Amino acid sequence: MQRLYTYFRSSAAYRVRIALNLKGIPYEAVPVHLLRGGGEQHASEFMERNPAQLVPVLQDGPLSLTQSLAIIEYLEETHPSPPLLPRGAAERARVRALALTVACDIHPLNNLRVMQYLESKLGAGEESRGAWSRRWIELGFAALERLLIADGATGPFCHGHSPTLADCCLVPQVFNALRLRCPLEPYPTIRGIYEHCSRLPPFERAAPGAQPDAEG
Ligand SMILES: N[C@@H](CCC(=O)N[C@@H](CS)C(=O)NCC(=O)O)C(=O)O
């Protein structure tokens, strides 16, 4: 069975949990606590699995796979059904662009190690750090909202009528935005997709609160 090194609140791990559930792939969750004892992702045993000291890692037999989007594409290639990418090249590029807007343009700026650096080295207090996080989410969501309404390809999901890689990325990012009290009114399409997805069992089972390592 595949093993997913995960942390309940990690949105990158949440993406992979959604993809595994959508594809019906059973997996064993191995919790990596990102805060306890300075962070278990920095332990030498974990660094052997991922020198970047980040979750998720998917262990498939002897393979240690890193980077959530690369992991999801691996799952797509090894378990093609149900597909998480559309068939045509242009449609696939659209879905990947939506996913990368979250994974490259929003998420890395708000990662735990960035927030820890802002606090410990640059002296940013809680309020400033919250403002920082909201700034990048709001810029990214404004772009995403426009992309989603630009071409008529959005349905109840980011792309048409079935979930894709883009929804795997969008839902965890909206979850984070809600935690950070970002107003979602300016992004009705994003909010609608989030609400639609969140009610579906594969997304529900991937949610932070449903994880074995969840904390209050
Ligand atoms: N680009 C990576 C990002 C992974 C990542 O940033 N993971 C975060 C949790 S969402 C993490 O492990 N952070 C630990 C830290 O910042 O020390 C991916 O998509 O897998």
Side-chain angles (χ1 to χ4, degrees), residues 2-214:
Q2 310 204 1
R3 299 176 110 195
L4 180 68
Y5 291 81
T6 174
Y7 178 61
F8 75 109
R9 243 183 220 143
S10 156
S11 62
Y14 188 177
R15 294 172 197 153
V16 176
R17 297 196 299 257
I18 295 170
L20 286 162
N21 293 345
L22 285 168
K23 287 185 174 289
I25 304 169
Y27 68 94
E28 180 194 348
V30 183
V32 178
H33 202 295
L34 297 187
L35 299 170
R36 192 188 297 141
E40 293 173 357
Q41 71 276 31
H42 305 303
S44 55
E45 193 203 336
F46 184 78
M47 276 174 67
E48 278 171 31
R49 295 184 198 287
N50 187 4
Q53 303 171 48
L54 300 168
V55 293
V57 173
L58 187 76
Q59 188 84 39
D60 189 8
L63 280 179
S64 259
L65 302 165
T66 64
Q67 288 291 350
S68 59
L69 269 64
I71 295 171
I72 296 173
E73 297 248 8
Y74 170 82
L75 295 174
E76 181 75 358
E77 286 166 25
T78 52
H79 298 75
S81 179
L84 296 180
L85 286 169
R87 287 178 88 99
E91 289 77 18
R92 290 162 94 90
R94 178 183 189 270
V95 166
R96 288 186 175 118
L98 295 170
L100 291 167
T101 302
V102 171
C104 294
D105 297 350
I106 302 176
H107 173 267
L109 289 157
N110 294 343
N111 203 353
L112 175 64
R113 61 190 183 182
V114 173
M115 306 315 286
Q116 288 173 337
Y117 188 84
L118 286 174
E119 182 180 11
S120 65
K121 298 283 192 268
L122 304 181
E126 198 176 335
E127 204 173 308
S128 306
R129 284 182 277 125
W132 167 279
S133 297
R134 285 189 292 276
R135 167 79 179 152
W136 309 119
I137 293 174
E138 284 163 13
L139 272 186
F141 276 9
L144 209 47
E145 180 73 19
R146 292 177 77 130
L147 287 170
L148 285 166
I149 58 180
D151 56 6
T154 300
F157 296 97
C158 287
H159 192 83
H161 291 268
S162 53
T164 63
L165 174 68
D167 303 289
C168 295
C169 291
L170 181 87
V171 166
Q173 190 59 61
V174 175
F175 178 88
N176 279 355
L178 292 169
R179 267 189 72 222
L180 290 160
R181 290 173 282 104
C182 278
L184 291 185
E185 288 73 25
Y187 324 111
T189 313
I190 291 176
R191 198 169 65 175
I193 293 167
Y194 175 76
E195 284 168 4
H196 176 71
C197 290
S198 302
R199 287 193 289 268
L200 304 175
F203 287 84
E204 274 178 343
R205 282 187 282 114
Q211 301 316 298
D213 59 330

